[in-house]
Structures are given as structure tokens and as C-alpha cells.
Amino acid sequence: MAPSPSDQGEVAATGGPAAALRPDAIKAIPVRHWGRWISAGVVTYLLVALIVSFVKNPNVQWNVVGQYLFSPITMRGLLLTLELTFIAMFIGAAGGVMLAVMRLSDNPVLSWIAWVYIWFFRGTPVYVQIIIWAYMGSLYYTLYLGLPFTGLVFGSAQSSRVIVTFVAALLALGLNEAAYAAELVRAGIISVEAGQSEAALSLGMSPALTMRRVVLPQAMRVIIPTMGNETISMLKTTSLIAVIGGLEMFGRLQQVYAQTFEIMPLLVVACIWYLFITSILTLGQARLEAYFGKGFGEKEAEAAEQRAVKRAARARHA
Amino acid sequence: MPSTSHIVTAVDGGESSGRPMVKAEKVWKSFGKLDVLKGVDLEVMPQQTYVLLGPSGGGKSTLLRCINHLEKINSGRLWVAGELMGYRQKGAVLHEMKARDVAKQRSHVGMVFQRFNLFPHMTAIENVMEAPIRVQHVPRKQADTEAEEILRRVGLGEKLDTYPGQLSGGQQQRVAIARALAMKPKLMLFDEPTSALDPELVGEVLDVMKQLAVDGMTMVVVTHEIGFAKEVADGVALMDGGVIVENGPPGEVLVNPKEDRTKVFLSKVLA
């Protein structure tokens, strides 16, 4: 705000010897970015041309797109896609944290187990792992719960009944994800300053408590963006389970166009849904980042004031 | 000074006043082939303020970190309040303590770091409440009240709900001191607490430490603040090359040093 002449007079009168009159704000003609305007025009022109050509293309068969966009086939497939994505990511994230902590543990047995696990699951294609889990029944006809070499058996079940397609898909996607997540979490943990652990330990906190209360919450700031990436990637990786007859959204649409040859319109349907869900996931990621970024935000001063007001209100009620 | 300005009251001065709070006996510490401490003997009595001076790399910080077992010593013995740190002695055999028991010992020793090391994802009061709630299982409400009280006493009553990122260095260090005090420690260790501060913020932290010394807290302080040592220290030790070159009351060591090494150091620091 530009001070009015009378303000300036006051400033000059009350300020010490260092206080000077504030000169007028600079008014200058900004640099003209002609290149930007021209390139923006060209890009817009090309983009509009591309969209119009696509939208007006009769071969896209927009009526078919509309017909399948909310059809029961698509919806049922979409439900499975979402179930697989979220449960597999849950297994992946939980397993990843566990493996990362094991890998960084002083205990050589735990560290070695985690290393071998990550080595195996990162070292083989997830596509192959999906098939292996689905055919586990051909390797082990029956699953036993008991102590090996003792003949002690608490229960048993036929593999093909336990590892149905859904379970095989979940195991394959979840366990594979855990290996990748483990490395992400480990990177996050390493990024937290050593001084943080030392401060927690010097307060008498145990190593486990230090990890849970001090290190992991800070590591989350680094982990969340990459985990968001992994979730979006998982959303699309679920389409691989078509190989074992798992009919998530893309598998179902594939089945349809194999018979009707409406390939393009159904691919458009699939893309619309993948883009829609990815957009929602991106929003969710932003909220998680905000939550775990507390203490690092730019609007912290205001937030602190609000918390202080709440505290005062609580004190009045108490 | 009026009693209302106390930061801590009823300091645990050790049950039998004759026993030292910290006792180091021929303490050696090496990192790989590098010997950082080469036989350090030290005794700090309850309610004393002991200042460790000396050039960087002399072993001051390492000694401090050994006292609360953040570093394991290689030889010698180290006791805090009569307890061997990190080990249990059964007859002539030493047994390493489990992490849980080491944590228990550490909970009686507060430490303040050069870089503050506040938990950035917790507000000032959350930083102070965390260990009492999680380690000592103090009820949340009581911990909240006590944390608020301690923060008030170090002059931060207005900053309870502020995250460390919004505080100045001096304020952060005072929160760090409050965080350590909330555990009601028998002993406070300060590792160059003012070295990372802007010069104009050093005073507010030293004032808190001086008050703590007056209140009878037992403190071991690594610092370059000769003025602080002169004013409040009961004992001063000059460390260099992993040994204590000279120690004694500040009136002797800082005013009439016997060792040439001490004279050289003081002449450089006071120049």
C-alpha cells in the first residue's frame, strides 16, 4: 500500500534519524515476452486441432464409449481394480515398513532376511510372480500349518481352494510391492538426521519408540510422494492379472472387445477411468503430504495462532 | 534472586552427598584406529557445574556422549549417580545392558545439543511432553500442565503451540532445555549449546543455564563461553588430545593456569 502524503509526514516526524521518506513505488514497463505468447498460441492451436480431430473422429464410436462407461461390466471390473490396488498397497506399505526397519536393524538375522526378500522380489518380474502364485497349487497340492520335520500338523487345506485367483493376485502384487516400498521407506528413514534419534534416545526413549514416534513420522514426508507414485503405478499394474484370469476392469473390457471388435472405444473407456482415479489419488496424496508436512508449512505462523486460541478456549472450559 | 524465577526446584542432589554424580575412571574411546579419549578421569559432585573447555577434536563432546552412553567406551569405567553406565557388573564380569535398561538410565540424564535437535513435526509443548508421556507414562493432562510450566519458566509461555521451524535459534535451544528438564533429570549435559546461535541470542540461553546452576542442577557443559565458566562453574577442565590437560576451580585454571597448553588456549580464546 502506498502511504499517503500525511502518513509520510508522520513517519518522518516520529521515526529516528534512520527513518527516511518512502519513495514512490517503482512503475516500469515490464519486459515483453513475445516468444512465450507466440509459442503459447502455436501449442494451443495444435492441441485444439488434435482434440477436435479425436472428438470428431467417427471411428472412436463415442456412443459405444457412453454405452460402456457406466455399464455393469465396467463397474464390476472397476471394483476389483480398486480392491486389488488398495489391499495390495496396504500389504505393500505395511510389509515395506517392516522390511525397511528389519534391513536397518542391528540384528543381522533380520537384516539378512530383509535383504534376501528384497533381492528376490525385485529381481523377478511381477508378471512372472503373478503366474507362480496362481499355479502354486501345482507345486504344493496341500497347504499344512505345522512344524516341519516333526509331523506336527495343526490344520491343512487344498492349495487350489485357498489360493483362488483373487488371493493369488493380492499376494503377487502385495508382496512384490513390499520389496519396492521397503527401499522407499529405507530411503525416507535414512533421510532423517541422526541428531533426531540421538535426541530421542537421550530422553530415555527406546529404539523402537524412537523409530515410531520420531523417525518414521519425519520419514513420511519423503516417503509419501513416492508412495503416491507407487499407488498410481499399482492401479495400472493390476491389469496384469488378466494373465491368470483375473477380471479387473481392463481384463473385462478386453474380453468384450475381443468379441465385438470395438477396440478403440473400450480403450477410451479404460483410459477415462484410469485418469479419473489417478486424479483422485493425486488429490489424496496432496492431503497426506500436508498432514505429514506439519511443522514445515509456510502458513505455520497463522496455524500456531489458531492452536494457541484453541488452547486458551480449552483452558477456560477446564 | 526471588524464588519465583527458579527453573527447577527440589533437584535430586544424590542420596548420599559424598558420592559423585559423574565419575570417569581411565576412560578410553576410539573410533576405529583413532583414539579420541585416552584415559580421562573426572569427578563431578552433585549440584556442581562443570565446564569442559578446549580445542575442537579434543574429545569434549565425545566424553559427554559417553556419559549418557550414546557412545560405548572401550576401556575404563563410567558411573552416573553411582550406576555403571551401560553395563551391569556381576562379580568381576561385565554384562552389556539391554537397550531397555540403557534407555532407563538415559532417562535420568538430560542432554542438550549444539544443533538443538528438536522434533520438527511436534510443537514446542509436544516436544516437551513426548518423553514424560511415552517413557515415564505420566498422564497426558499432567504432562501438559508440567510442560507448560517449564516452558513458561524458560520464557516461552507464548510459544507453546509453535513448531520449531517458526522459532529463533535461542528459543529452540530453550525448548530443548525444557524438553530435557521435563524428565526431571539428575544430571544435565550441554554439548556446545550456544555455538550454533547468532551472537545476540547467546545470552538468553546462557541466562537459563546460569539459573539452572543456581537452582542446584548438576551440569556438565562443553562450551567456548569462558565468561560463563568464570561466573558459574564449580570446576573447569581443559581437554586436548583426548586427555584432561588441567582441571580445577575456575579461579585457578582460568586465571592462573599451570600448564602451558592451557595458557596458549586461553590466550587464543580471550584474544
Side-chain angles (χ1 to χ4, degrees):
Chain A
M1 202 173 63
S4 67
S6 65
D7 281 346
Q8 288 179 8
E10 264 174 32
V11 169
T14 56
L21 284 178
R22 181 177 172 160
D24 290 339
I26 290 177
K27 286 189 199 108
I29 294 159
V31 175
R32 305 285 184 212
H33 297 282
W34 297 115
R36 286 185 201 172
W37 286 103
I38 293 167
S39 55
V42 172
V43 168
T44 311
Y45 173 72
L46 289 177
L47 202 61
V48 168
L50 187 69
I51 291 171
V52 168
S53 82
F54 186 73
V55 169
K56 289 216 162 166
N57 189 332
N59 296 331
V60 174
Q61 297 174 273
W62 287 102
N63 60 325
V64 179
V65 171
Q67 187 189 326
Y68 279 98
L69 193 57
F70 296 104
S71 74
I73 286 185
T74 316
M75 290 296 111
R76 246 176 282 147
L78 187 62
L79 185 67
L80 183 60
T81 298
L82 291 175
E83 281 173 358
L84 282 175
T85 303
F86 286 113
I87 304 177
M89 275 316 288
F90 180 77
I91 297 172
V97 171
M98 210 168 74
L99 284 166
V101 172
M102 283 167 71
R103 185 95 165 70
L104 293 168
S105 153
D106 289 336
N107 182 332
V109 180
L110 293 181
S111 177
W112 184 82
I113 292 172
W115 188 89
V116 171
Y117 181 99
I118 294 166
W119 170 78
F120 180 81
F121 281 92
R122 281 202 312 179
T124 52
V126 66
Y127 197 63
V128 174
Q129 288 172 28
I130 291 172
I131 303 174
I132 289 177
W133 280 109
Y135 287 92
M136 202 50 98
S138 69
L139 203 54
Y140 300 101
Y141 301 117
T142 319
L143 298 173
Y144 295 101
L145 186 67
L147 285 177
F149 311 119
T150 59
L152 210 61
V153 173
F154 304 119
S156 68
Q158 247 183 307
S159 300
S160 54
R161 294 223 172 156
V162 178
I163 308 180
V164 293
T165 305
F166 183 70
V167 174
L170 266 188
L171 284 174
L173 295 173
L175 297 184
N176 181 262
E177 181 57 36
Y180 285 92
E183 291 295 278
L184 299 182
V185 174
R186 191 166 68 95
I189 290 174
I190 292 172
S191 77
V192 178
E193 257 186 278
Q196 290 291 310
S197 304
E198 288 182 355
L201 291 175
S202 78
L203 285 165
M205 293 169 77
S206 68
L209 193 60
T210 300
M211 180 58 75
R212 189 161 61 81
R213 293 288 304 168
V214 174
V215 178
L216 274 181
Q218 294 182 62
M220 290 305 271
R221 278 184 66 233
V222 179
I223 295 170
I224 291 292
T226 35
M227 272 302 197
N229 212 21
E230 289 289 301
T231 310
I232 288 166
S233 167
M234 176 67 78
L235 175 72
K236 290 163 292 178
T237 309
T238 54
S239 61
L240 292 182
I241 69 157
V243 70
I244 57 169
L247 291 179
E248 44 64 67
M249 180 177 66
F250 186 62
R252 281 176 190 267
L253 293 176
Q254 254 183 323
Q255 248 184 1
V256 174
Y257 71 61
Q259 289 166 13
T260 65
F261 299 105
E262 295 160 327
I263 299 173
M264 252 322 152
L266 294 191
L267 291 181
V268 170
V269 169
C271 285
I272 289 174
W273 277 114
Y274 282 129
L275 279 171
F276 177 69
I277 296 166
T278 303
S279 310
I280 292 178
L281 289 176
T282 309
L283 287 178
Q285 180 185 331
R287 299 197 64 157
L288 275 181
E289 280 177 28
Y291 175 78
F292 284 106
K294 59 185 176 174
F296 294 90
E298 283 157 17
K299 293 189 177 161
E300 266 313 322
E302 288 167 42
E305 221 162 273
Q306 284 167 11
R307 284 190 299 273
V309 169
K310 274 188 201 158
R311 168 179 297 279
R314 270 205 311 276
R316 244 178 283 125
H317 287 297
Chain B
M1 232 177 259
S3 64
T4 46
S5 64
H6 281 307
I7 296 174
V8 288
T9 46
V11 172
D12 182 354
E15 297 73 6
S16 58
S17 53
R19 189 183 63 192
M21 184 61 83
V22 180
K23 186 173 158 76
E25 214 176 74
K26 300 191 187 73
V27 167
W28 281 71
K29 170 69 191 170
S30 42
F31 294 106
K33 282 180 183 164
L34 182 70
D35 289 328
V36 183
L37 299 178
K38 302 177 194 170
V40 172
D41 293 300
L42 182 75
E43 261 189 29
V44 181
M45 299 308 287
Q47 313 214 335
Q48 273 194 335
T49 297
Y50 211 94
V51 170
L52 301 176
L53 296 172
S56 302
K60 310 180 300 286
S61 291
T62 305
L63 177 60
L64 218 55
R65 296 162 59 83
C66 287
I67 292 176
N68 76 350
H69 207 58
L70 278 179
E71 305 287 354
K72 283 184 188 172
I73 60 176
N74 300 104
S75 319
R77 294 282 188 277
L78 228 167
W79 295 267
V80 171
E83 270 187 54
L84 208 51
M85 284 304 278
Y87 300 93
R88 221 183 297 281
Q89 189 153 12
K90 288 181 186 163
V93 188
L94 278 189
H95 295 264
E96 247 181 60
M97 271 188 189
K98 285 183 180 167
R100 192 176 358 119
D101 300 321
V102 175
K104 180 129 202 198
Q105 286 188 324
R106 285 201 191 109
S107 71
H108 303 302
V109 182
M111 184 150 187
V112 174
F113 300 86
Q114 182 178 359
R115 307 276 328 158
F116 328 135
N117 297 356
L118 288 180
F119 307 135
H121 58 303
M122 298 181 191
T123 60
I125 195 162
E126 283 170 352
N127 264 279
V128 179
M129 288 160 67
E130 179 67 13
I133 290 176
R134 305 277 163 181
V135 178
Q136 293 175 330
H137 306 290
V138 174
R140 176 168 284 275
K141 202 145 189 203
Q142 186 191 337
D144 186 271
T145 314
E146 289 178 0
E148 190 173 334
E149 183 59 32
I150 300 173
L151 282 168
R152 265 186 218 299
R153 289 186 182 171
V154 297
L156 292 170
E158 303 299 310
K159 298 288 180 185
L160 302 177
D161 297 293
T162 308
Y163 282 103
Q166 296 297 122
L167 296 173
S168 74
Q171 291 170 334
Q172 287 193 53
Q173 194 61 298
R174 283 185 283 151
V175 175
I177 293 172
R179 178 175 70 174
L181 291 175
M183 293 295 283
K184 304 189 174 73
K186 297 175 181 167
L187 167 70
M188 286 284 286
L189 308 174
F190 292 84
D191 189 4
E192 300 202 27
T194 56
S195 299
L197 297 177
D198 287 343
E200 59 180 359
L201 302 179
V202 168
E204 63 190 61
V205 172
L206 288 182
D207 285 345
V208 169
M209 292 168 63
K210 284 174 195 167
Q211 183 59 45
L212 274 178
V214 171
D215 292 348
M217 176 58 77
T218 314
M219 309 203 281
V220 182
V221 183
V222 171
T223 187
H224 297 297
E225 299 288 334
I226 305 286
F228 174 82
K230 271 189 183 151
E231 195 176 331
V232 297
D234 300 290
V236 174
L238 184 101
M239 285 190 76
D240 188 21
V243 294
I244 290 180
V245 177
E246 180 169 0
N247 64 347
E252 290 172 18
V253 177
L254 299 177
V255 181
N256 289 313
K258 292 190 198 82
E259 302 292 329
D260 287 342
R261 184 68 192 86
T262 314
K263 287 175 193 161
V264 170
F265 176 78
L266 288 176
S267 71
K268 282 183 182 163
V269 174
L270 297 174

mmCIF file of all heavy atoms in Angstrom, chain A residues 295-317:
data_model
loop_
_atom_site.group_PDB
_atom_site.id
_atom_site.type_symbol
_atom_site.label_atom_id
_atom_site.label_comp_id
_atom_site.label_asym_id
_atom_site.label_seq_id
_atom_site.Cartn_x
_atom_site.Cartn_y
_atom_site.Cartn_z
ATOM 1 N N GLY A 295 4.596 -28.583 10.612
ATOM 2 C CA GLY A 295 5.847 -28.087 11.167
ATOM 3 C C GLY A 295 6.763 -27.557 10.084
ATOM 4 O O GLY A 295 7.764 -26.933 10.364
ATOM 5 N N PHE A 296 6.415 -27.829 8.808
ATOM 6 C CA PHE A 296 7.281 -27.381 7.720
ATOM 7 C C PHE A 296 6.581 -26.390 6.793
ATOM 8 O O PHE A 296 7.163 -25.913 5.859
ATOM 9 C CB PHE A 296 7.756 -28.574 6.897
ATOM 10 C CG PHE A 296 8.663 -29.488 7.672
ATOM 11 C CD1 PHE A 296 8.149 -30.547 8.393
ATOM 12 C CD2 PHE A 296 10.024 -29.270 7.689
ATOM 13 C CE1 PHE A 296 8.982 -31.374 9.118
ATOM 14 C CE2 PHE A 296 10.859 -30.101 8.403
ATOM 15 C CZ PHE A 296 10.340 -31.146 9.132
ATOM 16 N N GLY A 297 5.282 -26.149 7.052
ATOM 17 C CA GLY A 297 4.498 -25.339 6.123
ATOM 18 C C GLY A 297 4.882 -23.873 6.139
ATOM 19 O O GLY A 297 5.612 -23.407 7.010
ATOM 20 N N GLU A 298 4.382 -23.146 5.144
ATOM 21 C CA GLU A 298 4.685 -21.716 5.079
ATOM 22 C C GLU A 298 3.674 -20.917 5.907
ATOM 23 O O GLU A 298 3.939 -19.803 6.313
ATOM 24 C CB GLU A 298 4.635 -21.242 3.625
ATOM 25 C CG GLU A 298 5.875 -21.641 2.850
ATOM 26 C CD GLU A 298 5.637 -21.702 1.358
ATOM 27 O OE1 GLU A 298 4.645 -21.143 0.895
ATOM 28 O OE2 GLU A 298 6.459 -22.332 0.677
ATOM 29 N N LYS A 299 2.504 -21.505 6.114
ATOM 30 C CA LYS A 299 1.468 -20.770 6.848
ATOM 31 C C LYS A 299 1.500 -21.141 8.339
ATOM 32 O O LYS A 299 0.493 -21.055 9.025
ATOM 33 C CB LYS A 299 0.095 -21.090 6.270
ATOM 34 C CG LYS A 299 -0.070 -20.558 4.863
ATOM 35 C CD LYS A 299 -1.494 -20.688 4.394
ATOM 36 C CE LYS A 299 -1.657 -20.090 3.002
ATOM 37 N NZ LYS A 299 -2.868 -20.581 2.353
ATOM 38 N N GLU A 300 2.669 -21.564 8.817
ATOM 39 C CA GLU A 300 2.764 -22.056 10.179
ATOM 40 C C GLU A 300 2.410 -21.005 11.224
ATOM 41 O O GLU A 300 1.840 -21.307 12.258
ATOM 42 C CB GLU A 300 4.157 -22.611 10.462
ATOM 43 C CG GLU A 300 4.254 -24.094 10.241
ATOM 44 C CD GLU A 300 3.105 -24.847 10.874
ATOM 45 O OE1 GLU A 300 2.666 -24.479 11.982
ATOM 46 O OE2 GLU A 300 2.612 -25.795 10.256
ATOM 47 N N ALA A 301 2.770 -19.752 10.938
ATOM 48 C CA ALA A 301 2.547 -18.697 11.933
ATOM 49 C C ALA A 301 1.062 -18.583 12.251
ATOM 50 O O ALA A 301 0.657 -18.562 13.419
ATOM 51 C CB ALA A 301 3.094 -17.369 11.419
ATOM 52 N N GLU A 302 0.219 -18.565 11.187
ATOM 53 C CA GLU A 302 -1.229 -18.484 11.395
ATOM 54 C C GLU A 302 -1.729 -19.712 12.144
ATOM 55 O O GLU A 302 -2.520 -19.602 13.083
ATOM 56 C CB GLU A 302 -1.956 -18.435 10.047
ATOM 57 C CG GLU A 302 -1.809 -17.131 9.314
ATOM 58 C CD GLU A 302 -2.281 -17.279 7.873
ATOM 59 O OE1 GLU A 302 -3.334 -17.926 7.663
ATOM 60 O OE2 GLU A 302 -1.596 -16.781 6.979
ATOM 61 N N ALA A 303 -1.254 -20.882 11.705
ATOM 62 C CA ALA A 303 -1.714 -22.128 12.316
ATOM 63 C C ALA A 303 -1.386 -22.141 13.805
ATOM 64 O O ALA A 303 -2.202 -22.556 14.633
ATOM 65 C CB ALA A 303 -1.082 -23.321 11.612
ATOM 66 N N ALA A 304 -0.198 -21.657 14.158
ATOM 67 C CA ALA A 304 0.208 -21.631 15.560
ATOM 68 C C ALA A 304 -0.726 -20.733 16.363
ATOM 69 O O ALA A 304 -1.117 -21.054 17.485
ATOM 70 C CB ALA A 304 1.653 -21.150 15.679
ATOM 71 N N GLU A 305 -1.114 -19.620 15.760
ATOM 72 C CA GLU A 305 -2.008 -18.695 16.436
ATOM 73 C C GLU A 305 -3.356 -19.368 16.710
ATOM 74 O O GLU A 305 -3.909 -19.250 17.803
ATOM 75 C CB GLU A 305 -2.226 -17.473 15.535
ATOM 76 C CG GLU A 305 -2.231 -16.156 16.281
ATOM 77 C CD GLU A 305 -2.013 -15.015 15.314
ATOM 78 O OE1 GLU A 305 -0.837 -14.692 15.048
ATOM 79 O OE2 GLU A 305 -3.014 -14.505 14.808
ATOM 80 N N GLN A 306 -3.851 -20.090 15.686
ATOM 81 C CA GLN A 306 -5.129 -20.785 15.856
ATOM 82 C C GLN A 306 -5.055 -21.812 16.972
ATOM 83 O O GLN A 306 -5.972 -21.947 17.776
ATOM 84 C CB GLN A 306 -5.528 -21.483 14.547
ATOM 85 C CG GLN A 306 -6.064 -20.503 13.513
ATOM 86 C CD GLN A 306 -6.150 -21.142 12.140
ATOM 87 O OE1 GLN A 306 -6.000 -22.354 12.011
ATOM 88 N NE2 GLN A 306 -6.388 -20.323 11.130
ATOM 89 N N ARG A 307 -3.932 -22.546 17.028
ATOM 90 C CA ARG A 307 -3.787 -23.551 18.079
ATOM 91 C C ARG A 307 -3.746 -22.889 19.452
ATOM 92 O O ARG A 307 -4.314 -23.407 20.416
ATOM 93 C CB ARG A 307 -2.520 -24.386 17.854
ATOM 94 C CG ARG A 307 -2.661 -25.405 16.744
ATOM 95 C CD ARG A 307 -1.471 -26.359 16.747
ATOM 96 N NE ARG A 307 -0.209 -25.663 16.533
ATOM 97 C CZ ARG A 307 0.298 -25.404 15.338
ATOM 98 N NH1 ARG A 307 -0.329 -25.794 14.248
ATOM 99 N NH2 ARG A 307 1.436 -24.776 15.209
ATOM 100 N N ALA A 308 -3.077 -21.730 19.515
ATOM 101 C CA ALA A 308 -2.991 -21.014 20.790
ATOM 102 C C ALA A 308 -4.381 -20.575 21.242
ATOM 103 O O ALA A 308 -4.725 -20.663 22.418
ATOM 104 C CB ALA A 308 -2.061 -19.812 20.647
ATOM 105 N N VAL A 309 -5.217 -20.126 20.286
ATOM 106 C CA VAL A 309 -6.583 -19.715 20.609
ATOM 107 C C VAL A 309 -7.362 -20.908 21.159
ATOM 108 O O VAL A 309 -8.060 -20.815 22.166
ATOM 109 C CB VAL A 309 -7.274 -19.130 19.357
ATOM 110 C CG1 VAL A 309 -8.760 -18.948 19.605
ATOM 111 C CG2 VAL A 309 -6.619 -17.816 18.964
ATOM 112 N N LYS A 310 -7.204 -22.065 20.486
ATOM 113 C CA LYS A 310 -7.901 -23.281 20.937
ATOM 114 C C LYS A 310 -7.476 -23.650 22.351
ATOM 115 O O LYS A 310 -8.290 -24.048 23.173
ATOM 116 C CB LYS A 310 -7.583 -24.446 19.985
ATOM 117 C CG LYS A 310 -8.504 -24.498 18.789
ATOM 118 C CD LYS A 310 -8.262 -25.781 18.013
ATOM 119 C CE LYS A 310 -8.753 -25.658 16.592
ATOM 120 N NZ LYS A 310 -8.096 -26.624 15.707
ATOM 121 N N ARG A 311 -6.147 -23.537 22.593
ATOM 122 C CA ARG A 311 -5.641 -23.886 23.924
ATOM 123 C C ARG A 311 -6.283 -22.995 24.986
ATOM 124 O O ARG A 311 -6.728 -23.461 26.031
ATOM 125 C CB ARG A 311 -4.122 -23.729 23.958
ATOM 126 C CG ARG A 311 -3.525 -23.792 25.357
ATOM 127 C CD ARG A 311 -2.029 -23.655 25.306
ATOM 128 N NE ARG A 311 -1.430 -24.755 24.578
ATOM 129 C CZ ARG A 311 -1.194 -25.953 25.112
ATOM 130 N NH1 ARG A 311 -1.498 -26.185 26.370
ATOM 131 N NH2 ARG A 311 -0.664 -26.907 24.418
ATOM 132 N N ALA A 312 -6.359 -21.692 24.664
ATOM 133 C CA ALA A 312 -6.942 -20.751 25.612
ATOM 134 C C ALA A 312 -8.399 -21.120 25.883
ATOM 135 O O ALA A 312 -8.854 -21.094 27.032
ATOM 136 C CB ALA A 312 -6.837 -19.336 25.048
ATOM 137 N N ALA A 313 -9.126 -21.509 24.811
ATOM 138 C CA ALA A 313 -10.530 -21.892 24.962
ATOM 139 C C ALA A 313 -10.651 -23.130 25.848
ATOM 140 O O ALA A 313 -11.504 -23.190 26.739
ATOM 141 C CB ALA A 313 -11.143 -22.168 23.585
ATOM 142 N N ARG A 314 -9.740 -24.092 25.620
ATOM 143 C CA ARG A 314 -9.759 -25.324 26.424
ATOM 144 C C ARG A 314 -9.529 -24.990 27.892
ATOM 145 O O ARG A 314 -10.200 -25.493 28.774
ATOM 146 C CB ARG A 314 -8.656 -26.281 25.958
ATOM 147 C CG ARG A 314 -9.084 -27.233 24.878
ATOM 148 C CD ARG A 314 -8.210 -28.496 24.912
ATOM 149 N NE ARG A 314 -6.780 -28.226 24.969
ATOM 150 C CZ ARG A 314 -6.044 -27.981 23.892
ATOM 151 N NH1 ARG A 314 -6.603 -27.917 22.708
ATOM 152 N NH2 ARG A 314 -4.757 -27.776 24.016
ATOM 153 N N ALA A 315 -8.559 -24.095 28.131
ATOM 154 C CA ALA A 315 -8.205 -23.737 29.499
ATOM 155 C C ALA A 315 -9.399 -23.076 30.195
ATOM 156 O O ALA A 315 -9.629 -23.284 31.378
ATOM 157 C CB ALA A 315 -6.994 -22.793 29.494
ATOM 158 N N ARG A 316 -10.182 -22.282 29.436
ATOM 159 C CA ARG A 316 -11.323 -21.601 30.018
ATOM 160 C C ARG A 316 -12.407 -22.618 30.422
ATOM 161 O O ARG A 316 -13.036 -22.485 31.442
ATOM 162 C CB ARG A 316 -11.902 -20.577 29.032
ATOM 163 C CG ARG A 316 -11.772 -19.160 29.546
ATOM 164 C CD ARG A 316 -12.295 -18.159 28.536
ATOM 165 N NE ARG A 316 -11.360 -17.948 27.454
ATOM 166 C CZ ARG A 316 -11.659 -18.091 26.154
ATOM 167 N NH1 ARG A 316 -12.860 -18.484 25.794
ATOM 168 N NH2 ARG A 316 -10.771 -17.850 25.239
ATOM 169 N N HIS A 317 -12.571 -23.665 29.562
ATOM 170 C CA HIS A 317 -13.588 -24.667 29.859
ATOM 171 C C HIS A 317 -13.171 -25.572 31.011
ATOM 172 O O HIS A 317 -14.015 -26.080 31.726
ATOM 173 C CB HIS A 317 -13.872 -25.512 28.623
ATOM 174 C CG HIS A 317 -14.656 -24.770 27.594
ATOM 175 N ND1 HIS A 317 -15.924 -24.323 27.843
ATOM 176 C CD2 HIS A 317 -14.353 -24.374 26.330
ATOM 177 C CE1 HIS A 317 -16.374 -23.688 26.762
ATOM 178 N NE2 HIS A 317 -15.438 -23.702 25.843
#
